[in-house]
Amino acid sequence: MSAGIFVLSTLPELFLLFGTFFAAMGQDGYVHLVNTPQKVIIYGLSNLAWLLMAIPLGFWNDKKIYKEVREELSKRPRYWKRAITIYCAVIVMMVVTVNVTFPHFSPNENTIKQELMEIRGK
């Protein structure tokens, strides 16, 4: 039971992690981080996703916490549904923002081709 709940609780973080790497993926299918803003975005959001996935590990197999969580969920179910929805929406907005803005931090492909030609020519 606790393994299933852990997987469900980490789905938004996995979406953040894979969405971030999808933004950085080049045409060849590999992640190429060319400049500092790209590295800051990718490393920052990747580490955030890993840290958010590690939070539920602290509550693994603790009967007292399970009981408290069930009581809280039964007291205010609407509040928690909204909170989870907002949490997932914020993560989706972060992924969309990264996918929209990441190409602006990437160098122009013509510039890359010119630099490669200069290197090969020398």
Side-chain angles (χ1 to χ4, degrees), residues 19-73:
T20 303
F21 284 127
F22 178 74
M25 191 170 42
Q27 290 181 351
D28 59 353
Y30 294 102
V31 175
H32 302 285
L33 301 177
V34 182
N35 53 28
T36 303
Q38 288 180 340
K39 292 176 184 176
V40 168
I41 291 170
I42 295 301
Y43 294 145
L45 289 178
S46 310
N47 289 331
L48 175 67
W50 285 112
L51 288 173
L52 290 173
M53 279 192 278
I55 290 172
L57 290 174
F59 306 112
W60 202 268
N61 292 330
D62 191 355
K63 303 282 184 193
K64 182 181 174 188
I65 291 176
Y66 286 163
K67 184 178 178 184
E68 290 176 9
V69 168
R70 284 191 185 123
E71 288 175 5
E72 181 66 28
L73 288 173

Side-chain angles (χ1 to χ4, degrees), residues 3-19 49 52-53 56 87-88 91-92 95:
I5 291 172
F6 176 74
V7 170
L8 287 176
S9 68
T10 59
L11 283 178
E13 290 85 7
L14 287 172
F15 180 72
L16 174 64
L17 188 65
F18 293 135
L52 290 173
M53 279 192 278
Y87 178 69
C88 291
I91 287 181
V92 168
V95 170

